[in-house]
Every structure is written in structure tokens, then in C-alpha cells.
Amino acid sequence: MDITIHSSFLPHTDPDASVAFYRDALGFEVRGDVEYEGMRWVTIGPTGQPDISIVLEPPAADPGITDHERDLIVEMMAKGTYSGILLATDDLDATFAQLQAVGAEIVQEPIEQGWGVRDCAVRDPAGNMIRIQEAR
């Protein structure tokens, strides 16, 4: 069986702020931007890796979600506990410096973790936890 990851989904609360973060802070490219009934889905991905994408989506677009569940999702996003993603870079220090330069919300500066990776953590504009580890 040959299965690959094509797209992952992260919620956004402000598509323009999220696009600016992923484009300007992380160097991702915008691959698609779809509006439907006042909502936006934006597909982004790392430059040079066209087969891997992240879809920034409205957090409660599913019609099966109740108003109470929508409120919980927004609350969890604000705390950074709803969703996240793990990225990797060859130069963690340069990536972290770029994140600081654009004013990203720093959660953890680069550190050697006990499980054998060196990483840092930031939050995107929607509150999603973005952990970035140094590729080995």
C-alpha cells in the first residue's frame, strides 16, 4: 500500500491574518483561496513541496456542529488547545529568529527536549499550536 499525506486542516478565525502568518513568517505559498457563503478556505503549503498542503478552514463550517460546540471550539482555539501541527526545519535558530522578527506569539524558545529533538513552539493567529523541530 502506498499512502501519503496530501492535506491537513487547521482552523482559522481570520483568513487574512493566517495567510500573512504562514506566508510571511514561515515562507509558505498560497495555493488556493475559496469563498463560500461568507466563509473562506485557504490552501497553503511549503514552497517546493507541491504535494503537501494545509487547508486553513472556518472552525465551525460543519452544519452538524451545535452553537454550544462552536463556542467550545472558539474557546479551545483561543487557549491553543484545539489544533496544531508539527513542522521541521534544517535551521531552527534562523526559523525562530524569523518568527520573532514578524511578532509571532512565542510559546517556547528553541530547546533540547528529553526525547531527542530540538524544537520551539509558537501560536498562529487563530491560536493553533505550531511546533517546529530541527530536522536531523
Side-chain angles (χ1 to χ4, degrees), residues 23-58:
R23 183 192 58 221
D24 301 340
L26 296 175
F28 283 17
E29 60 188 7
V30 177
R31 299 185 178 152
D33 192 335
V34 176
E35 288 189 50
Y36 179 72
E37 294 187 1
M39 296 178 282
R40 279 176 64 193
W41 287 258
V42 182
T43 304
I44 57 169
T47 303
Q49 297 181 48
D51 295 335
I52 301 171
S53 296
I54 297 171
V55 179
L56 303 172
E57 65 174 344

Side-chain angles (χ1 to χ4, degrees), residues 68-87:
H68 175 69
E69 290 168 333
R70 279 186 185 86
D71 292 342
L72 288 175
I73 289 169
V74 170
E75 183 180 323
M76 291 176 69
M77 286 174 65
K79 292 182 353 184
T81 59
Y82 183 70
S83 193
I85 194 162
L86 175 61
L87 305 174

